[in-house]
Amino acid sequence: MKAKAGTPVWLFDLDNTLHNASARVFAELNVAMTDYIVSHVQVERAEANRLRALYWHRYGATLLGLERHHGVNAGHFLHHTHALPGLESHVHSHAHDLAALRRLPGRKFLLTNAPLAYAQRVLRALNLSHCFECVIAMEQMRMFGQLRPKPDARMFRHVLARLHLQAGQCVLVEDTLVHQKTAQRLGMQTVWMQRWLHEGKSGAPATASAAAQPRLRRRPVYVDQRVHSLAELLR
């Protein structure tokens, strides 16, 4: 894919885009977040699960709801829920995808709603740290005292200004459709990564963002390309 003018600038998501988070990582994150809500919001486990899902669907990130309604400290939440001992052994991708990413022409940035330390661990496990100019993680998405993670249009504009980029130069590669809808409205091109959306490592139902994705027969009008492999971006 080519950007509207010249060599593209790639904005890559992380989970279920560069690696198969549905296989195990999302499930462990869900448990860790529920445990955190039980402990720090002091509710029963069933209510903690309800709040975790409710805030994710309402705000795009469980953390936003916990900050707004329960006064949870974002840094404390991110540190404890993403500690994930043994994470590196559970990070899975495909060799040809990773090789294609390394060959892909153009500048590349990682744009993820995950915390920075987690994103860096995943990139190291995939041997991809050197592929990206920088990582823009949840901690870098706070503006005027409030977190503005994807799909917030204000955050996208802020990132473009910070990187001295025009929207028309950029291609967002994501597994989450609502993020692409905002990006295209701002003038970016969009690629929908579908490899790991609806099943985990052994055909089990995916969790987190994957569970919220509609099963569409046709490509949404705000998606420029639908791919099942990063190698398809080289065509």
Side-chain angles (χ1 to χ4, degrees):
M1 173 177 285
K2 295 183 179 180
K4 296 175 183 178
T7 305
V9 177
W10 303 92
L11 303 177
F12 279 93
D13 179 46
L14 179 62
D15 293 328
N16 269 4
T17 298
L18 299 186
H19 77 111
N20 185 3
S22 291
R24 181 161 175 173
V25 174
F26 276 163
E28 292 189 359
L29 281 172
N30 286 345
V31 171
M33 289 183 186
T34 298
D35 288 345
Y36 187 96
I37 295 169
V38 168
S39 177
H40 296 276
V41 180
Q42 297 185 333
V43 295
E44 296 296 326
R45 192 164 195 84
E47 175 64 3
N49 273 317
R50 187 188 74 83
L51 290 175
R52 175 178 56 77
L54 171 67
Y55 293 152
W56 189 88
H57 285 284
R58 179 179 295 176
Y59 299 113
T62 297
L63 172 56
L64 268 65
L66 294 176
E67 260 200 333
R68 295 177 187 182
H69 300 293
H70 306 279
V72 165
N73 178 273
H76 191 267
F77 172 87
L78 292 171
H79 172 75
H80 285 277
T81 57
H82 288 75
L84 301 179
L87 167 69
E88 289 76 5
S89 64
H90 305 148
V91 173
H92 301 286
S93 191
H94 293 276
H96 67 279
D97 272 354
L98 303 182
L101 181 63
R102 296 183 185 102
R103 299 198 314 272
L104 191 66
R107 302 173 67 190
K108 294 183 276 288
F109 299 89
L110 192 75
L111 183 65
T112 175
N113 283 355
L116 181 61
Y118 166 87
Q120 291 173 332
R121 288 175 68 191
V122 172
L123 289 181
R124 285 194 296 268
L126 295 172
N127 194 26
L128 289 178
S129 299
H130 64 287
C131 286
F132 297 95
E133 288 190 32
C134 74
V135 176
I136 302 154
M138 180 68 88
E139 295 93 331
Q140 288 79 50
M141 295 179 181
R142 188 176 293 278
M143 294 179 288
F144 306 108
Q146 292 188 327
L147 283 171
R148 305 284 187 189
K150 295 181 289 185
D152 197 297
R154 291 161 291 188
M155 182 276 297
F156 278 114
R157 292 191 187 99
H158 177 75
V159 167
L160 293 175
R162 171 184 161 191
L163 299 176
H164 306 289
L165 298 172
Q166 298 296 319
Q169 298 175 263
C170 299
V171 181
L172 179 70
V173 185
E174 269 273 2
D175 68 298
T176 305
L177 282 173
V178 67
H179 299 173
Q180 292 154 327
K181 194 172 186 178
T182 299
Q184 193 181 77
R185 192 169 68 244
L186 294 175
M188 299 183 204
Q189 289 184 268
T190 56
V191 175
W192 187 16
M193 168 57 76
Q194 292 191 285
R195 181 189 291 276
W196 295 297
L197 275 182
H198 300 300
E199 62 179 37
K201 185 177 180 182
S202 301
T207 56
S209 64
Q213 300 290 346
R215 294 180 182 270
L216 302 174
R217 293 184 179 180
R218 298 181 180 178
R219 186 173 68 198
V221 296
Y222 48 85
V223 171
D224 295 298
Q225 185 177 353
R226 177 162 51 184
V227 300
H228 289 80
S229 167
L230 294 177
E232 295 176 46
L233 298 176
L234 291 169
R235 296 175 184 171

